[in-house]
Amino acid sequence: MSWQQRIDEALAARRQADALRTRQCVDQGAGRWLIRDGQRYRNFSSNDYLGLSQHPALILAWQQAAEKYGVGSGGSGHVSGYTLAHQQLEAGLADWLGYPRALLFISGFAANQAVIAALGNKDDRIVADRLSHASLLEAANLSPAALRRFAHNDATHLATLLAKPIGGEQLVVTEGVFSMDGDSAPLADIARVTRQANGWLMVDDAHGIGVCGDEGRGSCDVHQITPDILIVTFGKGIGVSGAAVLCSASLANYLTQFARHLIYSTSMPPAQAAAISASLAVIRSEEGAQRRHKLNALIAQFRAGAKAQNLAVTASDSAIQPLIVGENSRTLELAAQLRAHGCWVTAIRPPTVPPGTARLRLTLTAAHEPEDIEQLLEILHDAR
Ligand SMILES: *Cc1c(COP(=O)(O)O)cnc(C)c1O
């Protein structure tokens, strides 16, 4: 089969399964409203959980740092792209989250790839929750280490897999809050089982950081654990973009030698680092606590309303509230119906989620108002 035939067939298969992905160009995609073609929709599909992407203090910090540093970092951090703005952000993250060191990456995807690639050797085993993010599972697949997947959130199954004989080291990988289901991992159990097997634990808290825990410290604070490796990303609750690895001083030094995504890639713009630092300041302040409080009230409002309608809500108490529909076509239909009534939601289909579990992934944010939730519930009610 030629390249062209292969591509055409793959696209045709996606089309046939109602699974072809396309992008919609929007005028504004984060915040309470999604604006497209000049039309305003209530936005239930962004990961800007605290509504910080539009925060004046973050915008000002970005502008001021751009005036000072320019817009590009000029190189990898190993060359000339590591500025005071980067250093201050790393120090602020380490202080906030209680780790000796933080290392910045351009994205969560890159951080996960880099850490797993730098750690795994031939005799090692990576044991990951089977619903882990694509960036984690793909990196583990590419690693010379063996990959085993444990049943979702099942610490007992994890313990069984860890108990199998092994020549090398074991790395356990999971998330704080799962991106497509919105449920939380039993982190205390997972940490205990990992420790008993002398493994290391890596937690990706992309959806928990900033949003839950004391001062927004995330899922690990909620469950009172300190994993060996904590991944935090800045494109969701933090409202900007980028990521960091929190770890010991020696692992940070090791990654500085061996994390290829760090060494061979331009560092984030200094202005971006300054905006993230400004975001941390808001998240740790009284205002941050109020935003989290408001978000939790909206989540409770949605769940109570959805249960009253007998909608198939999941166990999620996070900002991610999936409505599992099942079939791709029905899910797309529902999304279109919601859109026609002014609510922007995303239909998530396999292979992003398991076959037969296509869903509307509704995300609530602190930028919403109670009337937005009411409106959403009403439309869902009528759509049935
Ligand atoms: C979004 C996400 C990532 C990727 O982070 P980016 O900074 O957007 O690349 C990694 N892990 C999880 C669990 C995510 O949800």
Side-chain angles (χ1 to χ4, degrees):
M1 202 190 300
S2 70
W3 283 110
Q4 194 57 54
Q5 283 168 325
R6 195 189 300 179
I7 290 163
D8 292 343
E9 278 188 19
L11 288 173
R14 278 281 163 98
R15 250 180 229 111
Q16 200 145 28
D18 283 322
L20 190 74
R21 292 160 160 156
T22 57
R23 297 175 303 172
Q24 306 269 350
C25 181
V26 299
D27 303 323
Q28 181 188 305
R32 181 181 179 189
W33 303 101
L34 182 143
I35 303 170
R36 178 168 167 267
D37 287 341
Q39 212 175 331
R40 229 170 51 152
Y41 301 83
R42 295 178 209 272
N43 184 2
F44 295 105
S45 47
S46 98
N47 296 322
D48 182 15
Y49 301 124
L50 295 176
L52 290 175
S53 72
Q54 324 269 336
H55 195 290
L58 274 65
I59 295 169
L60 183 67
W62 190 306
Q63 287 169 334
Q64 287 180 338
E67 292 284 344
K68 180 172 170 190
Y69 292 102
V71 292
S73 71
S76 137
H78 286 62
V79 186
S80 61
Y82 184 65
T83 66
L84 188 61
H86 296 91
Q87 190 181 51
Q88 283 173 343
L89 173 56
E90 287 184 345
L93 286 163
D95 171 63
W96 179 40
L97 298 168
Y99 280 82
R101 290 283 301 278
L103 283 178
L104 297 179
F105 284 79
I106 203 73
S107 72
F109 203 103
N112 285 338
Q113 299 272 310
V115 169
I116 289 176
L119 283 178
N121 284 343
K122 188 166 68 62
D123 296 329
D124 301 336
R125 181 155 60 206
I126 298 169
V127 191
D129 187 291
R130 60 179 304 277
L131 295 190
S132 296
H133 191 260
S135 56
L136 295 163
L137 290 177
E138 187 189 281
N141 260 321
L142 293 172
S143 164
L147 168 63
R148 295 288 175 272
R149 307 196 302 168
F150 63 96
H152 179 51
N153 283 345
D154 187 341
T156 310
H157 187 219
L158 169 63
T160 310
L161 294 177
L162 288 172
K164 304 218 154 112
I166 178 93
E169 300 302 314
Q170 306 206 77
L171 180 68
V172 172
V173 173
T174 191
E175 297 180 18
V177 175
F178 282 83
S179 49
M180 292 302 141
D181 292 71
D183 56 343
S184 304
L187 288 177
D189 291 343
I190 287 173
R192 180 174 37 79
V193 163
T194 304
R195 201 167 44 245
Q196 281 164 357
N198 292 315
W200 268 17
L201 175 59
M202 171 171 174
V203 174
D204 175 348
D205 202 23
H207 298 276
I209 196 68
V211 184
C212 60
D214 187 36
E215 282 189 23
R217 289 189 185 90
S219 306
C220 295
D221 179 76
V222 171
H223 296 269
Q224 291 293 296
I225 65 155
T226 307
D228 303 283
I229 303 166
L230 171 63
I231 309 291
V232 297
T233 71
F234 307 133
K236 289 160 182 158
I238 311 294
V240 191
S241 187
V245 177
L246 283 293
C247 60
S248 69
S250 58
L251 180 55
N253 287 336
Y254 177 86
L255 291 173
T256 306
Q257 318 309 312
F258 301 110
R260 302 172 69 79
H261 297 67
L262 205 58
I263 303 164
Y264 298 107
S265 185
T266 305
S267 64
M268 71 171 63
Q272 182 181 331
I276 297 165
S277 287
S279 180
L280 294 197
V282 173
I283 284 171
R284 299 186 71 173
S285 72
E286 182 51 33
E287 182 191 338
Q290 282 166 9
R291 284 176 182 258
R292 284 186 289 278
H293 182 76
K294 183 179 177 195
L295 174 60
N296 285 326
L298 294 168
I299 295 167
Q301 181 193 347
F302 174 78
R303 290 183 63 78
K307 278 181 192 161
Q309 291 185 29
N310 287 320
L311 285 172
V313 289
T314 65
S316 161
D317 55 10
S318 73
I320 304 162
Q321 291 293 324
L323 289 179
I324 314 272
V325 180
E327 272 174 47
N328 286 0
S329 53
R330 176 71 188 132
T331 313
L332 289 173
E333 237 171 69
L334 260 177
Q337 235 168 327
L338 281 156
R339 216 164 272 185
H341 288 89
C343 287
W344 194 277
V345 304
T346 314
I348 308 270
R349 291 160 287 165
T352 303
V353 293
T357 71
R359 66 198 63 189
L360 298 178
R361 179 178 180 270
L362 304 170
T363 50
L364 311 182
T365 79
H368 287 125
E369 294 301 332
E371 64 172 90
D372 298 324
I373 311 296
E374 269 168 46
Q375 191 68 30
L376 172 66
L377 286 165
E378 248 172 62
I379 299 165
L380 282 170
H381 182 265
D382 295 343
R384 299 197 320 149

